[in-house]
Structures are given as C-alpha cells and as structure tokens.
Amino acid sequence: MKMNKNQFCPLPPMGWNSYDYYDTTVDEEAVRNNAKYMAQHLKDYGWNYIVIDIQWYAQGAGTQRDKHQYIPFSQLEMDSYSRLLPDPERFPSSKNGAGFKPLADDIHNLGLKFGIHIMRGIPRIAAHHHTPVLGCSLTANEIADPSSICGWNPDMYGVRNTEEGQRYYDSLLELYASWGVDFIKCDDICNTNMYKHNPYSAKHEIEMLAHAIDKCGRPIVLSLSPGPALIEQSFHYEKYANMWRITDDFWDNWDLLKDMFHRCALWKDHVKEGCYPDCDMLPLGYLGKGFGHERQTRFTQAEQRTMMTLWCLFGSPLMIGAELTKLDSWTLSLLTNDAILNLRTPHCKPALLELNDCFSIWTVYNEIEKNAYVALFNLRDTEMEFSVSREELLNSFPENIDFTQLKELWAGQLKPCTDAVICTSIAAHDTCIYQLL
Amino acid sequence: MKMNKNQFCPLPPMGWNSYDYYDTTVDEEAVRNNAKYMAQHLKDYGWNYIVIDIQWYAQGAGTQRDKHQYIPFSQLEMDSYSRLLPDPERFPSSKNGAGFKPLADDIHNLGLKFGIHIMRGIPRIAAHHHTPVLGCSLTANEIADPSSICGWNPDMYGVRNTEEGQRYYDSLLELYASWGVDFIKCDDICNTNMYKHNPYSAKHEIEMLAHAIDKCGRPIVLSLSPGPALIEQSFHYEKYANMWRITDDFWDNWDLLKDMFHRCALWKDHVKEGCYPDCDMLPLGYLGKGFGHERQTRFTQAEQRTMMTLWCLFGSPLMIGAELTKLDSWTLSLLTNDAILNLRTPHCKPALLELNDCFSIWTVYNEIEKNAYVALFNLRDTEMEFSVSREELLNSFPENIDFTQLKELWAGQLKPCTDAVICTSIAAHDTCIYQLL
Amino acid sequence: MKMNKNQFCPLPPMGWNSYDYYDTTVDEEAVRNNAKYMAQHLKDYGWNYIVIDIQWYAQGAGTQRDKHQYIPFSQLEMDSYSRLLPDPERFPSSKNGAGFKPLADDIHNLGLKFGIHIMRGIPRIAAHHHTPVLGCSLTANEIADPSSICGWNPDMYGVRNTEEGQRYYDSLLELYASWGVDFIKCDDICNTNMYKHNPYSAKHEIEMLAHAIDKCGRPIVLSLSPGPALIEQSFHYEKYANMWRITDDFWDNWDLLKDMFHRCALWKDHVKEGCYPDCDMLPLGYLGKGFGHERQTRFTQAEQRTMMTLWCLFGSPLMIGAELTKLDSWTLSLLTNDAILNLRTPHCKPALLELNDCFSIWTVYNEIEKNAYVALFNLRDTEMEFSVSREELLNSFPENIDFTQLKELWAGQLKPCTDAVICTSIAAHDTCIYQLL
Amino acid sequence: MKMNKNQFCPLPPMGWNSYDYYDTTVDEEAVRNNAKYMAQHLKDYGWNYIVIDIQWYAQGAGTQRDKHQYIPFSQLEMDSYSRLLPDPERFPSSKNGAGFKPLADDIHNLGLKFGIHIMRGIPRIAAHHHTPVLGCSLTANEIADPSSICGWNPDMYGVRNTEEGQRYYDSLLELYASWGVDFIKCDDICNTNMYKHNPYSAKHEIEMLAHAIDKCGRPIVLSLSPGPALIEQSFHYEKYANMWRITDDFWDNWDLLKDMFHRCALWKDHVKEGCYPDCDMLPLGYLGKGFGHERQTRFTQAEQRTMMTLWCLFGSPLMIGAELTKLDSWTLSLLTNDAILNLRTPHCKPALLELNDCFSIWTVYNEIEKNAYVALFNLRDTEMEFSVSREELLNSFPENIDFTQLKELWAGQLKPCTDAVICTSIAAHDTCIYQLL
C-alpha cells in the first residue's frame, strides 16, 4: 500500500540544523558533536533530527567567504549519474562511494534521525557536460531547464517536467534512501522568488520529489524552502510536503519576530498532522561562525521566550540554529521546558484571540486533558498592562472551564485568580502563558 | 454573559435573497410571497432566512434602470436620527414609524427568520444636512468621513472610528433589533476595492458593527460583502463576522463557477462553526427581472449540480437567488436533496484531494456516522473518464473504510465496486458524488 | 481663429502662490500685500502671476486646523448656478456678486496677472440640493458623478463626461473670464491617485476645462495638480494643459529635492513652448503660517541654489511659496539673478550629461547667443571633487565651443581654465553653474 | 578626441535583418543573396545595413526546431579567449580564424554595412570551463555572474560590473572591429524582463558595451533589445546607445501595430540625432521559414502602409524582416517610396495631434523645405470619415501655411482643397498622408 506522508511526522519535527552556525562550512566532526549533544541533553524532550544544511557537496565551500557565500562555478562532488555526493574533505566517512551512510548509521545509533539539505534540480555542470542519468537514456542536458535557476545559489538547473526528469529525482531518492536519510530540506522550491511571472515555477519539482519519496519506500520527511510560501498554493503544499517555510530566512531580529505573528495568523488554520507551516530555525545560542562573525543571539531572553511560545503553540517545526555544544544552561532550559513543548501535541488546539500592532493573545485547549491555556504577548517596546476578561476567554474554549488559579508555564509560578479579569504586566517583547487551573 | 456570535448560526445559513431577481425593486408583496413559498416547500429542508437586499430605503428605486442601478442624489427615507427606513411606497406596513417590524413579525410567524441588507456608513445627505445622531451630541457631519465612499453606490459615507461613530452603529442595531432583524448583510465593507492603498479601509466599521450587535442583545448574524475577502485578514473576519464573501458577485457563468474551486481551495481550512467563507448566492431558477431582463439561469443542470455539491461540501452559506414562486420541480428537487444538504453538518469533514485545470476531487467524512464520500468534478468542456484508486482515497479518511458499493447522491443509484479503482465517466461541467457503502 | 494655448505662456510662468505660507487662510489683504511687493521688487525680473490657492470659497476655512485641513460638510459660498464664489468674509471686495473682479483689476493695474486655484468638479452640496446649472436644463445632481471624489478634499464631485457637464465648465470659465482670471490651477485632476484602477480618471475633465477656456475667449493658463503626472499620458497633458505637476507636493526637504533630479530626467524632453512639466512651488523664505507653524525654509542656502538652478535650466514654472513681504535680501537675490533666470528662454537647450546617486551634470546651450553652460550638482551629503573633461562637454554642444575662462553664475566670479579638465570642489547639496567664455 | 556615438548614425538606420525569415538558421549564402538584392534594388533609397541575427555561433542551430528554438547546452563555436565565433558549417568563409571578416569585406564592397546580433554576457560554457579572458589574469568563471541569465536563451551568463568584466567586453569589440562590424544588436539587455525586482539589471553591461565601442575606435552603432524599453531609463539609453526597442517582438498582427501608436506617443519626444526609439523590424514579404512555417505577411496592404507611415514619421529605424530575394513589386514599391522615406530627415518635425481608440493624426513639418504634412490613421476595423479643420492643423505648424491642394504620398494623387476642412474616407486600418500644397 502507498505510504501516507502525513504519517511520517505526526508531530512537527524537532531538531538541529547546521546553517545558522556553520553556513557552508559544516563538516563531519561538527555534525557528530552536535548529534552527541542532542542525544545526551535534548533527545528526551523530543529533539531528534540532525540536519546538514547547504553545500555539503561543494569542494572548498566557505573559502571565499569575503566574496561569495557560494563560490560560483566551483568543483562539486558528483557521481557518474549526475548526483551530488558529500565533499570527502569535510566528510571523510563518505569516501569510496559510501556517501552519507556511515554518518547516518552513527546518528541512527544515537537514537536520532538524519537529514540533508538539497537544492532542487540537477547540477549545472552535469547539464553542460551531458552526463548520464540513472535508468534513463537521456543525459543531463536533456532534462535540465536552462532558464530555471536559483537567484542566490549557482549550483543547479531546474529539472523539466518529463518522465526522464522524474527518473532523475527517483535516482536521487534511491541514493538518499540507501544512505538512510530521514529528512530532506529542499531549497529554491517553495518560492522561486526571482521570477517575475511565477514565484511557484518549480511546482512540478515538488510533485516529482514527492513521487520519488513515495517510490523509494523510506518515510522521508519533505521540507520546502525558502519562504514566504504562497497561501494560494496551500492545498498543493499540503498534498505533497510536510513542512513549508512561511517567511524568508528568519534571524535574531525583533522586527522579523514581530512579523511572524501576522504570518502565523495567516497560516494558523493550515497546521494539520503531517502538514506544518514552518516558522524557520531558532536563532538562539551561538550563531554565525561560518558567516565569519561568531556571536551570541541578539534576541533578549524575553524575545526567546516569545519565540518559543509562538512556535510551540502555533505548531511550527523546531530546528535549533545554535551550536549545541556551546549552549548555556539558560538556553538549554528554554529548549527543554516540557510544559511549553507539550503544547505541540495534536490534541492541543490553538486559537488566536487578538492580534494588533501592540499585542497578541492566543488560547490553547488540550482536548484530551481538558487543559486550557492563554498566552499574552507584548509586542510593544515598553512594558504593558494586560487585562483579559474571563468572558472573553471562556467563549474561546469549547467546554465549560472554571478556574481559580493561573500557572505561568515559563516561571512555573501559581497565582490565585478570583476576579473577573486576568491582569498582568508584561515586559517589552515578552510573553506570559498561563494554564487555567 | 457576553453573546458568542459563533453560536448564532451553528450551520452555514440557508435562505433566500431578493437581489438576483429583484435588484433594487423588491417590495413587501414579493417578500411575503417568497416567504410563504419557503415556509411551505423549503423550510423542512433547513431553508429559513428571508433577506431583503439593497436599497429598501430608496424612493423610486429602479425607476431609472436604463441609466442608473442606484439613482444618485435621490430621496432616501430617513428618520430624525440619520437612520434609513423602509420606503413606505414599496413597504406599506412600514408606515408610521413601524419600520420592518410588521413584516418581520409575519415572517417569524411562518417559522422563518428575517434579514436585511445595509450599506456601511451613514447617509451622505445626513452628513450634508448635519442631522442628529441618537444619544450623541455630535451631528452626522461630524461622524461621517467625506473621503470614505462606496465606488458603486451613492448613498453613504463611511463612519469615523470614534466613540460617536460607534454610537451611530449602536443606534442602528437598536432599531434593527426592535424590528426583529435576524440577519444583516452589510455591503461595501468586506473589500472596499476602489481604494488603491487599502482594500480593507472599513476594518473599523466591521468592528463597530460587531460591537453594536453584541450590545443590542439580539443574536443577529453578520454577513459581509462584497468579495473577494482578503485571506490575510481571515483572523479578523473570523473574530467579528459570521460570513464573508470570497468572490466578487457570483452569477450564472461557468468561468465564475470554475474559479470558485480555486477560491474554495484557498479558504477550505477557514470554515468553522459560526465562521463561513461565502460562495455567494445560487443563481438558479428565474433571475434578473429587476435588472430589466427576466431570464432562466444560464447554468445547465450539470453545472447546477456541480454548484450545489461544491457549496454544500465546502460549507458555504446557501442563499437562493431565484424567484421562489416560479421554481420548477427539477430545481426544487436540487434544493431539497437531503443527502447533499446533510454534507453541511459540522461533523462532516471535507478534504481536497486534487485540483487542477481539468478536474477536482474532494472527500467528505462524517465523523459521527462514519460515512465516507468522494466527489468527482469534471471541470473540462468535454466528457471525461475518472479513475481513482482506493489507496488514494483511503489515505484521506481518518479511519479504516471498507466498501463494496458506491451510491451516487444525485442519482440515488447504487453501483457495485469490486475493483481497486473507482471508474466513471462524467459529462462536461458535471459532478458525481459517491457515498462509499 | 481658435486660440492656441501654447501661446498663452511662451515662457514657463513665474509668480507667487499663497499655499505654502497661508494654506486655506489666505485673504484679500494678504494677496494685495504680496502683489504690491512683487510689483515693486520682482516684476522687473519676470515675476508676474499672483495665485490664490485652495478654498477661497470656504467659510471659516482654517478655523478647525487642529482637526481638519479642509472642514468637511462646511458652508461654501455658491451662486445660484452651482458655482463657487469668494468667501466675502476674507475677500470683502467680492461682495454683492463682484467676485474676484475688483481684486483682479487691482492686480492688473500693478502690471501683474491674476490666478486662482480650483478643485475639479461641482460642489457636493449642489448635487445633493439639485441646484441649477447655467444654460442647461439639468440640475447639479444630474451632472455630478457620485463615485468621483477627491481623496483629500471634501468639497466636490467630479463632473460626468456629457454635454451638460461641459456646459457647467463653460459656465465656470465665463465667470472666471468676466473676473479677469489669467491662470487656473486645477487640483485633483492631474493624478486622481486614490483610485485603484485609474489614476487618470478625470481625463475628460481636463478636456472639458480646456474646451471651456477655448470658448471663453480669454487666454487663461491651465495648470494641473497634483502630481506625479503620468508619463504615459504626456501627449494628453501637452495637448490640453500648460503645466502639470511631476511630483506630489514639494516641500523644503532634501530627499524630495534630490528625487526631483530623477523626475526632471524623465520629463526633460517634454518641455516645450506652452507645455511645462512643473516641479512645484519654491518653498523658501517664510512658510507655514496657515498650517499653524510659521517657520523659515529648512533648505540651506546651498540647497536653494541647487533648486533654483535645476528649476531654471529644466524649464519648470517658478512659483514662490514664501510670504513675499518677509523676504530677506539673500533670498531676494536668489530670485533675481538674471543670469540664472535667463536659462529659461526658449533658445536655451538643456541636456543631461550624467545622473547617478552622487552627482548630476547638465549642460545648457543658448542657440541665439551661442553661449554654453555647464551645471555641476553635488547630490551627496559631503563635499565632493568634480572633474569633467573638455571632451565630454564638447560632444554635448551642437557647435564648436572654445573657452579659456569659466564664469560661475551664482558667485559671478571668473576663473581661468587652461587644462583639459574642469575641476572644482562643491559643498554638500550645492551646485556650480559655469558659463564657458 | 573621443568619438561621439550620436554621429554614428545621423539618420535612423535602415537595413535588413535575418531573424523574421531565418530565425537561427541563417547562413552565409542567405546573407550574401540578401545583400546583393539590397545593393541592387534598395541601396539607392537609403537601405544599407545587413544584420545577421541570433546564434550565428551555434552549431546545429535550428535542427531541433520542434522542441527548442535555442538548443540548450549545445556546442558553441568559441575562441581561446571565451569569445564566440561564427559556426564554420554555416559560415564557411569564417574558417581558420577569419571570423566574419571575409563576409563583412564583401558586404562593404557592395557599398553596404555589416551588423551582427549578440547576446549580452559571456558563454556559460566558458564560465563552467574556466577559460581565459584576453588581457586579463582572471578566467571566465570569475567575471561571469551565475545569477544573471536570459529567460529565453541558454547561451550566456551576464558579466559582473568589474574592471575585468570591462576587459572582456573590450576584447569582444576589438574582435568585432577587426572583422569590420558596423552595427551590434545586443539582446537580453534593454529589458531583462524575467527578473522580478529589476528589469534593468544589465544596466552596467550597456555601459561596458558603450565604453568598449568607444575604445575600439570604430564607429559601431549600438542597438538594444528586447523591449519594451523603460521610459524612466530614457536618459540612460540616450547616453549609451543608438537604438532601443520600445516593444517586445513585433510581428504581423494588427493588435501589435495598433498598440505601437501608444508606444510612439510615449517615446515621440525622445527621438534625436543618434538616439532612436525602435519600433522593431518590418514583418512584410515572406517570413517564417526558419520557424518551420514559411508564409507571406499577415498584414494587409493597408496595414503595411500604416506601419511604414508611422515608422517613418516617428523616426524609427527600419529593418526589413522579409527574405529580400522574394520581394514582390508591390512590397518593393512600399519600401522605396521616397516621399515617405524622406519624412525621416532630421529637419522633419513630427507632432501628434490626436490619439484615441479610433484614430490618430500626426503632422510633420520640414523646417528646411517648409513643407507641411498631415497623416490620418484609421485604427478602427471599419471604414471611417475623417474631417480635420484647417484651424486645428495650422496651430500645429510653426509657420504660416497656406494650401489649396493636398497630395497623398502613397497614391501620389493631388486633390484640390478649398474648404475649411480636410475630409476623406479611409478604409479600415489604412492611412492617408497628405502634403499641403
């Protein structure tokens, strides 16, 4: 029986991604170290994906960082069927045709899952060299579309919407499945935004990828980048993918975080089992080394609480951008707060009560445990008093809720609540999320 | 306790609206005749709203139909507090300050509900004459916004977002509640599309209307026009209104009907109890008399089946545009097919399986009765073979479904189904909707 | 023989406009004082238009300046034919039906010309009161278009494109001609920018105005506002008007001035006898009293030189925004530099040699006097060295030019020039314009 | 002394271009045959450019015409410095490094000029193979921009805006000058329309080309494609190029021809010596062989007269798209009407008198010969009566014109004209152009 991609990830995936810290310079040692840390400190809380981001196949990646993020026309490691392979310099275990299998095996042995980033399409150099495609009489030049490029990365051409194009994607997934890949983050596909007439020009490549996953027999989660995803294509994302980015790259910048409230409002009804609008990685802890400027996140602790609360109640995937081995204890506690992480169960139903330029209020109701929550977000740059009437809240829960206490999930503190109104003061950019007891 | 507007209409409203047949010429006799017909022939199937559409307050409405749909700068019936009243010529029972109360009473006595159309804002002539506003020291000129007009109707100015503006809306709803109004279709508010910089320029008037309904103490359903509603404002519509139009005016034209499949795909996850994206009226039966050209619908029977099936499984409100007293038996049967109408219960969960330029497939699952349905729509201009694998279908239902027969809901016919694939041929623009037995 | 509107102003008009200083509060005394000053100090240099800007017809104009620039639904002075008249409170000489005739006469006696601002259309109150139109059996409601309003001023409705609409414009121009009006600045007509689908929605009103001027027999200059004018309508502006604004309102702000270089680049080939793309008023001297904050211009002296040089070589109309009676001697000298003003003769041909984000270079060639000029503009915020090769310059003049000296027109200083390159240092936002001798 | 590109073509160029008939299949024999025809039959009327259009460097060009206009990733003839050379198969005289020199020499010997089409940029294959650039230590990969491609042709990458990029263009022009090239039509440069954020993304390549022409010492006319050119960049086109296309590809289709009237209205003031907005090739005679469907032009004789009249009075370059050797005598007469062609002298000043959806009227005044012309164009699909008052006409001429006869330039017929009005009936899509005698 055909696989059902919605069962590949019944919860929004949680994991680590190499990009925010390593950019294109990620190597095997870094991956192993972060995986070990995750297995030891994070796995018990649900974190389990280790994802190697962009250009693991590029020789010399990162060596011209002053001029190029992605060195144009550089040497890419490629097999005889026009498929990219790990750069053996950075990923020694991949030598002799082993690919990512040894690394994936080790990660699986840690009880974790293994993911890779790919650019949609076929290497440009394959097209120009007319190299073969596995199981297909055509060569790369015949399946590559010379007018379909990525605006910001020079590696690939898009693949034409033909049987032979499908064959190429099939051959990719056969390889990745043989390595033990559990997760693919495909880039330049969710929004091909350089194109004037069609930001969804790679629609057919999403379908080809999904078909190839289906054929490969391995349940591989499909994540689409970059955003913003196009709301009018929501049906298509839902049918073929597991995650799709709802913003352009997210970084540690308050304006981007504030804006995410509006994007979550737009996409909130589109979060379903196996279908996750994606708020992008969590830029906390140490970041930016591969970009040439290692730094700690610019987000305040308040902003990090706000981010985690929004991502969790909305149901976004969670991908840590930090170098895990450098996590401080405060950040670790932020990432391992069970009360917050549990908002992500399928039985927790979020609802947006208010969103304006100054603040936002969400409620969450756990249908199994009959627990009710209310999250108050201060979007202003100064402290602000919140006062929410019981009435207003109660209409937003499906069942009769009575409560006499409030438990704040970050602080863990209880406060009695006898009035008709929930009152609290919240610092700039901070959040309070109460369970009603 | 505050009213919860989502409980005002637990199902998408069903009713009759005067516009498609009468345009601005609707009068009391016409309303009574259609109400009687509904009570006799349609009420038992759930149809119960009788809605008087645009310009019931305009003297001489429709008398210059060759030049104007809405006569500019004409006489409007208005009370001393800048509120519009029914034109006594067309609505004799409204004389002597009775307003719509006598008519509403009679409609209620038929077991039906009573609705009216309004244009957002305050009459232009009130602003120019500086007439009073009830319970407020300001006059109409001080609450009217001279730059806020409707692009296609000359009657009103928008109301400023002030306490006194709210007071005017409160006074309107007090009046409508005293008449016994159950439903308000407010126009020029969902999309104020003449404005370059802001098609949601009347956002505050939606809020003021909702607050006024809340204060008036009567559960009045709020319907917003015209479309297309703005998907990025979905949170706001859901918070304040019960229905909002997802297209511009819908008429009996295949291109508009075909396009509705894409609009339903966009809005499908936004249908919730008390919150209904609205596909607009059903232009079937006799139409257009008030427009000067009475005619029968241009939709074929196949297209009408397609429309009814889509509206019902999507969960759109259903408002008949036809003159009811002239309904033929075929059209009546279309409107009283219980199997189709029952797809609109809250326990029926629709899912879109495929939508492309040629066809669409939806499934519906009734969570209580554990019934499964599949609807196949031929969007092409020629007959087409459908063949859907069981596998494909089964993934889209939450529980294990087994079936050996298909029951087509329009034809009522059973057909055995032993193969792995559901096959059928469907005529141009037609639909088949099967229950899996 | 039909008049030729291009002969009404063989040079771009020069004058004074009441708006920048008085806003809506201009009165007869102010006009007379500024006219007297112009006659005494400016007339000899070519300045001769005195233009009364917006709402001379509005009673109480400016009295609610904290809330409204234009009081909505207020009392407008109007004659029995739906034509606006001067507010007698502010313009006492206009009483008893005299209109602006006495004031215009006095201005003519000073050797000056008289202009007024109008809003396109017919007063809203005329439409709502169904008042008569001169020489026409229809009333105002029948020629007014209720969907055609100005986005920022509440006084008028647009006029429909009919014979009777033309009759109304004819009646306006008959009145204005009888007063002795020489110049009309019509507003809300050049770009009706509130409208999503058509920023040139009042195209027919431009034509009706032009026809009415033609019929009235008096050579009245037609100036269109606001900008930005639409380049794809350049043919239409040229056919019917004398001046059209190429920007939205221009004020004493460097970013607006810098941007004007790009607008002049766009429109430079459209300056012809009787056809003047208009850079808007000169906001120098004392400004803003009617806006509630009298102030001196925020432009530095360098920026004012830059503005005057650009306006003059481009061939823009020159309308002083300052209160003339308060002009200081430096500003007066700026406005009476004959060498600069003479760049505006029809025989002076400007050419744009370079425009980028940092600087601009124009040349001007006087075909009669065979004089050559080069203007260097520093658009950066810091001092900058200019170095222009003779070669580069010479290609841009039609005839063989030889030169050994440079005469800077603002400073009046000569400097020898023997090298192959013209070198100079120019302060931030400043300009040098050299005559080649 | 620096060359002045405006002197390279004091009149808008006239010639033949291979594209409309040959597409990519043009070869040496075809070029020679057309050149011979031109020398014999057209040269005396001013026709003198022979231009070889796209992909003269591509081996096998046209052999996959059912699938591709431009075969992707195919073999291009290239020298050791990353410069494309003529395909020796199709251009035998180019062998052994001769390039286009032998062919150009022969064309020069016929008294004609020689032009070639190029795509902006450097061959993609050069970038991927890291081939050398003449006189520069960098290789092709270092000057090519991998994100700058043409949306419809797969051959090139854009060149980066660096000194080394300039060096590449310099090396191209050195080669072309050595061949004797007189005219370059550079494509994918005037409007790079696939790009969402910047349709003028190759602005710097226009500058680099112009600088390279300047350095090469040969007066080579620079023609930019495709259109539509951006009016807000008019200054930039004028500064660096001789011709720029004001539409996308023009073909023998009435809607395109009708639309050209609006484009000419937009650009009419930008026609100057050496600066020619370009209406594109004349698709008349036999066309389309290289496209797989040889045909005669779909334009009627009336439409061809209209096209020739508009192109000539506007001052567009004239490039014949037909296979010259197959010209019939009627078409030849159309192309050799001196009275029409003479409207293109610099002393002829055109003026647009009227343009609307139904008709257009232009006047032309020859300042030297004091001749006046009026052209009437019927843009409707049915015959139409024209009636133009003398008054209306006379205002549009600079000097006093008196006339008693009209001479129609196409028919050559005289008609007396004593009335105050010029009356004529014109067939659908046809034109009359009268000289006033």
Side-chain angles (χ1 to χ4, degrees), chain A residues 1-4 7, chain B residues 390-398:
Chain A
M1 169 138 186
K2 199 185 156 194
M3 295 193 296
N4 180 347
Q7 294 164 1
Chain B
R390 276 168 178 256
E391 234 173 29
E392 228 175 316
L393 279 180
L394 295 184
N395 270 346
S396 81
F397 294 117

Side-chain angles (χ1 to χ4, degrees), chain A residues 171-190:
Chain A
S171 78
L172 281 187
L173 267 292
E174 286 160 20
L175 182 65
Y176 301 157
S178 79
W179 289 348
V181 167
D182 303 300
F183 181 103
I184 290 175
K185 174 184 176 183
C186 185
D187 222 331
D188 189 40
I189 197 162
C190 183

Side-chain angles (χ1 to χ4, degrees), chain A residues 197-359:
Chain A
H197 300 295
N198 188 8
Y200 207 49
S201 61
K203 181 179 184 175
H204 64 282
E205 292 184 270
I206 295 176
E207 296 176 11
M208 290 197 286
L209 257 171
H211 294 322
I213 291 174
D214 207 49
K215 291 177 193 170
C216 86
R218 184 175 177 90
I220 297 178
V221 169
L222 179 57
S223 163
L224 305 180
S225 275
L230 307 155
I231 187 74
E232 64 275 15
Q233 299 290 351
S234 55
F235 154 67
H236 198 260
Y237 296 119
E238 288 170 23
K239 179 161 183 185
Y240 293 106
N242 295 109
M243 306 165 38
W244 48 92
R245 288 265 305 280
I246 62 175
T247 61
D248 202 342
D249 285 7
F250 179 74
W251 282 101
D252 43 344
N253 171 301
W254 169 249
D255 287 341
L256 295 178
L257 178 48
K258 187 175 175 183
D259 185 48
M260 197 68 79
F261 282 84
H262 293 276
R263 298 177 186 269
C264 288
L266 179 61
W267 284 94
K268 69 186 169 59
D269 295 318
H270 299 265
V271 183
K272 299 169 200 168
E273 190 174 316
C275 298
Y276 306 109
D278 179 4
C279 295
D280 202 7
M281 289 174 280
L282 301 163
L284 33 68
Y286 277 90
L287 303 167
K289 188 184 168 201
F291 295 84
H293 303 284
E294 185 170 4
R295 69 169 191 278
Q296 278 194 282
T297 182
R298 294 187 194 105
F299 277 142
T300 64
Q301 293 194 350
E303 290 164 348
Q304 293 180 64
R305 265 190 300 272
T306 290
M307 172 174 67
M308 279 299 289
T309 309
L310 180 63
W311 267 235
C312 286
L313 68 79
F314 172 73
S316 172
L318 299 178
M319 291 285 164
I320 302 169
E323 165 62 20
L324 296 182
T325 63
K326 295 192 170 188
L327 280 189
D328 60 31
S329 61
W330 183 87
T331 309
L332 182 59
S333 73
L334 187 87
L335 297 171
T336 55
N337 181 324
D338 271 332
I340 299 294
L341 293 172
N342 286 343
L343 297 172
R344 305 165 82 254
T345 71
H347 306 301
C348 275
K349 304 297 182 196
L352 176 52
L353 212 65
E354 179 60 74
L355 173 59
N356 55 49
D357 205 48
C358 295
F359 67 95

Side-chain angles (χ1 to χ4, degrees), chain D residues 124-371:
Chain D
R124 291 195 195 180
I125 204 66
H128 286 288
H129 285 170
H130 299 204
T131 53
V133 171
L134 182 62
C136 170
S137 64
L138 300 188
T139 45
N141 54 305
E142 293 167 295
I143 69 163
D145 178 349
S147 69
S148 175
I149 65 169
C150 174
W152 44 268
N153 174 286
D155 298 337
M156 315 298 267
Y157 285 123
V159 164
R160 294 181 190 274
N161 192 10
T162 60
E163 272 181 47
E164 292 85 2
Q166 180 67 59
R167 197 60 208 96
Y168 178 70
Y169 274 110
D170 293 347
S171 78
L172 281 187
L173 267 292
E174 286 160 20
L175 182 65
Y176 301 156
S178 78
W179 290 346
V181 167
D182 303 300
F183 181 103
I184 290 176
K185 174 183 176 182
C186 185
D187 222 330
D188 189 39
I189 197 162
C190 182
N191 185 332
T192 54
N193 44 31
M194 77 177 286
Y195 292 98
K196 187 176 165 191
H197 300 294
N198 188 7
Y200 208 48
S201 60
K203 180 178 185 175
H204 64 282
E205 292 183 270
I206 295 175
E207 297 175 12
M208 290 196 286
L209 257 170
H211 293 321
I213 290 173
D214 207 50
K215 292 177 194 171
C216 86
R218 184 173 177 91
I220 298 178
V221 170
L222 180 57
S223 162
L224 306 181
S225 276
L230 306 155
I231 186 74
E232 64 274 17
Q233 298 291 351
S234 55
F235 154 66
H236 198 259
Y237 296 118
E238 288 170 24
K239 179 161 182 184
Y240 294 105
N242 296 108
M243 306 164 39
W244 48 91
R245 288 263 305 280
I246 62 175
T247 61
D248 202 343
D249 284 8
F250 179 74
W251 281 101
D252 44 343
N253 171 301
W254 169 250
D255 287 341
L256 295 178
L257 178 47
K258 186 174 177 183
D259 185 48
M260 197 69 81
F261 282 83
H262 293 276
R263 297 177 186 271
C264 288
L266 178 62
W267 284 95
K268 68 186 170 57
D269 294 317
H270 299 265
V271 183
K272 299 169 199 167
E273 188 174 317
C275 300
Y276 307 109
D278 178 4
C279 296
D280 202 7
M281 288 173 281
L282 302 164
L284 34 68
Y286 277 90
L287 304 167
K289 187 184 170 201
F291 295 83
H293 303 283
E294 184 169 5
R295 69 168 191 279
Q296 278 194 282
T297 181
R298 294 187 194 104
F299 277 141
T300 63
Q301 293 194 352
E303 290 164 347
Q304 292 179 65
R305 266 191 298 272
T306 290
M307 172 174 68
M308 278 300 288
T309 310
L310 180 63
W311 267 236
C312 286
L313 68 80
F314 171 74
S316 173
L318 299 179
M319 290 286 162
I320 302 169
E323 166 61 23
L324 296 182
T325 62
K326 296 191 169 188
L327 280 189
D328 59 32
S329 60
W330 183 87
T331 309
L332 183 58
S333 74
L334 187 87
L335 297 170
T336 54
N337 182 323
D338 270 333
I340 299 294
L341 293 172
N342 286 343
L343 298 172
R344 306 164 81 254
T345 71
H347 306 302
C348 275
K349 304 298 182 194
L352 175 54
L353 213 66
E354 179 59 76
L355 173 58
N356 54 49
D357 205 49
C358 296
F359 67 96
S360 186
I361 303 176
W362 289 73
T363 60
V364 181
Y365 186 66
N366 186 318
E367 293 179 333
I368 300 294
E369 302 180 2
K370 313 286 179 197
N371 286 335

